[in-house]
Amino acid sequence: MANATDAYCVPGATNFNKAYSRLHGYIALVICIVGSATNSINIAVLSRREMTSPTNSILTGLAVADLLVMLEYIPYALHMNIKIGPQVNKNTYAWAVFVYFHSIFSQTFHTISIWLAVTLAVWRYVAIAFPQRNSTWCNKKNTTLAIVSAYVMCPFLCLPIYFAMNIVPSEVTPQNNSEFAEDLSLPDNRTVYVLEMSRNVQLVTAIMWIYSVILKLVPSIALSILSTCLISKLTTTERKRQKLLKRSTIGPNEPEKQCLAEESSARRSSRTDRTTRMLLAVLGLFLSTEVPQGLLGLASALAPDFFKSCYSMFGDLMDVLALFTSSVNFVLYCSMSRQFRCTFARLARRMLSAAEEPAKFANKLEPTTQVSQCHRAAIAPNSRPHQGGRREYYMNDTGTIALYHLENLIHKHP
């Protein structure tokens, strides 16, 4: 295996794989826990009513897909890379089925994230290149249709992966014991179950072509083209805006008018630039992880032995890079979007105040009970409320705190 790896891959790939595999589980677990929290925050903030927009709807759908990938990856990392249970149970049939499910589930929802990123780039390009048609082409209905289409079509695109692997039973012998447990010798003549690539070379080659081209390279090329168009269009739009500004200020205009026009243009330009820079950063992160995977997958399609000899040596590393990419969007949103920061701050304050409310409410129960006792005893006939009535707490018959106008209580209890 080492000779084959050296022939198809970079020198030292085997040693790197052995060294990194000991750390991968812990690194992936930390990223998944942090990423699950940040993507949950993204969903909570972006789905607020004041944040409603086609772009934020797509970002919400992207955060949901990333969150599902990370939540599912946690048990996989614990099982495959972190020894928290008996090693003898690592290769049971049930765990083999879970690993099979993991390989399909994670790829499917990661593909959904990729195509939602492509949709995001298209929507943003329309907003900049065709602002007069943006509200028609990228309205709420079309945005919802695009998100639903990504969630429906991507599982079908990933369906060939289902046929690429098989669960294979294997008998443990003294010769192959080390393949199933590094630190624990399994009893001989025990049946274990492992997930292996199909032995049909033509089928695996066709699947690798689909994986590398349709799932990786095509969206990567689309993202690259759209990102380039976004940057070019943004630059052109800014130049036109500056020319229009100069024309509008030519003539006997007062200095104050020119200053106000420049400030207004600067504010609009700043908002557009921040939004576009944020989205370009998101797209750039996708490209940094998807292009290498696509190229390695293409090499595996061209040379079938390349997958086992080289691709698998860097599989864990590419997984953790993809997980990291999916977890840092929160940082990008906070650093580049003032509206996101403000909405997140308001949501956080509201949650903190809600947590403190029970303690404040408990402190009010004692005076409230006194009002209730007075009410149960009697209400003086000559006690009249102030104009507009006064609001008072009282304890009703079931012991529940209620809030009524005092004039309503007098009316109900003459």
Side-chain angles (χ1 to χ4, degrees):
M1 180 68 179
N3 295 332
T5 301
D6 294 337
Y8 283 97
C9 203
V10 296
T14 303
N15 294 332
F16 171 81
N17 179 58
K18 290 181 179 180
Y20 177 74
S21 61
R22 295 185 176 92
L23 303 174
H24 173 73
Y26 301 97
I27 297 175
L29 186 61
V30 171
I31 293 177
C32 287
I33 293 175
V34 175
S36 298
T38 56
N39 278 293
S40 298
I41 295 174
N42 291 342
I43 296 171
V45 174
L46 293 172
S47 59
R48 303 292 297 177
R49 181 176 299 177
E50 60 268 27
M51 295 289 289
T52 301
S53 70
T55 297
N56 290 342
S57 297
I58 298 173
L59 290 176
T60 303
L62 193 151
V64 170
D66 290 339
L67 176 62
L68 292 175
V69 170
M70 292 187 176
L71 290 176
E72 191 275 335
Y73 203 93
I74 291 176
Y76 173 79
L78 292 173
H79 168 64
M80 294 297 295
N81 302 104
I82 301 177
K83 299 175 182 178
I84 61 172
Q87 188 75 7
V88 71
N89 295 327
K90 183 176 181 179
N91 297 101
T92 60
Y93 182 79
W95 276 115
V97 172
F98 172 76
V99 175
Y100 194 13
F101 166 80
H102 159 78
S103 62
I104 300 173
F105 182 91
S106 60
Q107 185 58 58
T108 298
F109 280 90
H110 188 64
T111 303
I112 291 174
S113 297
I114 298 171
W115 283 105
L116 285 178
V118 175
T119 305
L120 182 66
V122 173
W123 257 235
R124 192 57 193 168
Y125 179 76
V126 171
I128 294 178
F130 309 99
Q132 68 280 4
R133 300 182 181 179
N134 181 43
S135 59
T136 303
W137 292 356
C138 303
N139 55 26
K140 182 178 180 180
K141 179 180 178 181
N142 291 340
T143 302
T144 303
L145 180 62
I147 297 172
V148 173
S149 298
Y151 274 85
V152 172
M153 296 302 298
C154 288
F156 289 97
L157 293 177
C158 297
L159 192 61
I161 300 176
Y162 177 85
F163 302 99
M165 296 164 291
N166 297 314
I167 299 177
V168 180
S170 180
E171 295 293 331
V172 177
T173 63
Q175 289 74 25
N176 66 4
N177 199 310
S178 60
E179 297 180 10
F180 306 107
E182 295 180 359
D183 303 326
L184 177 66
S185 295
L186 295 176
D188 294 342
N189 301 325
R190 173 186 172 87
T191 301
V192 296
Y193 297 88
V194 294
L195 196 65
E196 293 183 353
M197 295 293 293
S198 173
R199 297 181 180 180
N200 188 332
V201 179
Q202 290 78 12
L203 176 62
V204 173
T205 301
I207 292 173
M208 293 307 299
W209 275 104
I210 295 174
Y211 168 81
S212 60
V213 176
I214 297 179
L215 302 186
K216 298 295 180 182
L217 292 180
V218 169
S220 296
I221 294 172
L223 283 177
S224 300
I225 295 174
L226 288 169
S227 299
T228 303
C229 292
L230 273 173
I231 296 173
S232 176
K233 193 64 182 178
L234 184 63
T235 304
T236 304
T237 303
E238 178 61 22
R239 290 175 180 173
K240 290 181 179 179
R241 185 184 298 116
Q242 294 297 331
K243 290 181 180 179
L244 291 174
L245 178 62
K246 291 180 180 179
R247 291 178 182 176
S248 63
T249 56
I250 292 176
N253 295 328
E254 299 81 359
E256 292 82 2
K257 181 179 179 181
Q258 180 176 358
C259 182
L260 291 174
E262 291 178 352
E263 290 179 357
S264 177
S265 177
R267 284 194 298 269
R268 291 194 301 269
S269 177
S270 178
R271 287 194 297 267
T272 303
D273 290 349
R274 282 198 302 269
T275 303
T276 305
R277 283 199 302 267
M278 181 188 72
L279 299 182
L280 286 174
V282 173
L283 302 181
L285 285 174
F286 272 102
L287 288 174
S288 65
T289 57
E290 299 308 311
V291 172
Q293 292 186 37
L295 294 177
L296 290 176
L298 183 61
S300 300
L302 296 173
D305 292 335
F306 181 86
F307 182 84
K308 292 183 179 180
S309 302
C310 189
Y311 189 99
S312 59
M313 297 292 105
F314 299 98
D316 289 341
L317 179 62
M318 288 185 290
D319 282 351
V320 82
L321 289 176
L323 292 173
F324 176 78
T325 299
S326 302
S327 65
V328 299
N329 287 339
F330 172 78
V331 179
L332 295 177
Y333 301 158
C334 284
S335 61
M336 297 185 176
S337 174
R338 182 176 180 273
Q339 185 183 14
F340 185 92
R341 290 195 303 269
C342 294
T343 305
F344 171 63
R346 287 196 299 269
L347 184 62
R349 285 195 298 267
R350 188 176 302 175
M351 293 178 64
L352 292 176
S353 62
E356 295 175 357
E357 189 66 25
K360 295 180 179 179
F361 186 72
N363 295 333
K364 293 182 179 180
L365 289 180
E366 186 174 352
T368 299
T369 305
Q370 294 177 359
V371 174
S372 173
Q373 291 174 355
C374 294
H375 168 67
R376 288 180 177 180
I379 296 181
N382 58 352
S383 59
R384 297 182 178 180
H386 294 290
Q387 185 176 2
R390 289 187 293 116
R391 300 177 70 84
E392 296 287 350
Y393 287 101
Y394 83 101
M395 186 79 71
N396 61 16
D397 295 336
T398 61
T400 304
I401 298 296
L403 183 64
Y404 283 94
H405 285 287
L406 186 57
E407 61 183 2
N408 293 336
L409 293 177
I410 297 175
H411 178 73
K412 293 181 181 179
H413 300 79

